[in-house]
Amino acid sequence: MTTDIGANNVNGCFSLSGIDLSCLRTSENQMATELPRIMSGLRTAYPGLPAFGMNIYDPYLAAWLLGSGGNALAQQSVTATVAFNSLLGQIYQEAGAPVADLATRFQTTDFAVTGSYQSAEVPQNVPVICEWTLMCSTVEIHTNDAGHDQLAIA
């Protein structure tokens, strides 16, 4: 069983004008309370169940395509994602659950300008988000079919 939790908790904290840090902290605190309880409940209800955690990719990298304001938001969102994933990793480790590393799989922190999206040079992490999520087509944070394949691989 793989636990994927957290992205929807912080989704409302992001907008084109920036990241609401108070919202983010509240969401992190909520996650720090809820996830250990969930993992403990699963272990109690299903002893021996192979349980894995999953960190999150950063769908807000797609904001890069909106120009300089979007570039700043994309960079801020990665900083927030790295911090949130650190919290998730700590909780999963304490629960004895290995972590499927989506952040690395989706090249979340790779801002090297080696990618291409609609003939524009962009950081490598941007076309990955566009290829594996719905963010660049319907502004939806979830993965598409290709992204689901990547989740399974991770």
Side-chain angles (χ1 to χ4, degrees), residues 129-151:
I129 282 300
C130 292
E131 181 180 343
W132 293 345
T133 74
L134 301 168
M135 277 301 282
C136 299
S137 58
T138 62
V139 193
E140 163 63 38
I141 69 168
H142 296 101
T143 54
N144 56 25
D145 289 344
H148 286 300
D149 290 344
Q150 297 304 316
L151 299 182

Side-chain angles (χ1 to χ4, degrees), residues 28-86:
E28 288 173 344
N29 289 336
Q30 183 179 8
M31 179 60 52
T33 300
E34 292 175 353
L35 186 55
R37 192 170 39 220
I38 291 167
M39 296 304 290
S40 175
L42 288 170
R43 295 272 190 222
T44 300
Y46 303 100
L49 175 72
F52 297 84
M54 191 165 78
N55 67 19
I56 62 175
Y57 55 87
D58 184 356
Y60 296 98
L61 284 164
W64 187 274
L65 302 172
L66 301 175
S68 62
N71 295 175
L73 175 59
Q75 291 172 336
Q76 291 169 354
S77 70
V78 165
T79 299
T81 298
V82 168
F84 195 70
N85 281 341
S86 178

Side-chain angles (χ1 to χ4, degrees), residues 56-59 61 74 77-79 81-82 85 102-111 125-126 128-129:
I56 62 175
Y57 55 87
D58 184 356
L61 284 164
S77 70
V78 165
T79 299
T81 298
V82 168
N85 281 341
L102 297 183
T104 298
R105 186 91 192 149
F106 280 62
Q107 302 178 40
T108 297
T109 61
D110 189 351
F111 279 99
N125 49 16
V126 175
V128 171
I129 282 300

Side-chain angles (χ1 to χ4, degrees), residues 11-12 35 90 101 104 108 124 138 153:
N11 188 35
L35 186 55
Q90 178 184 353
D101 187 2
T104 298
T108 297
Q124 182 58 38
T138 62
I153 292 167

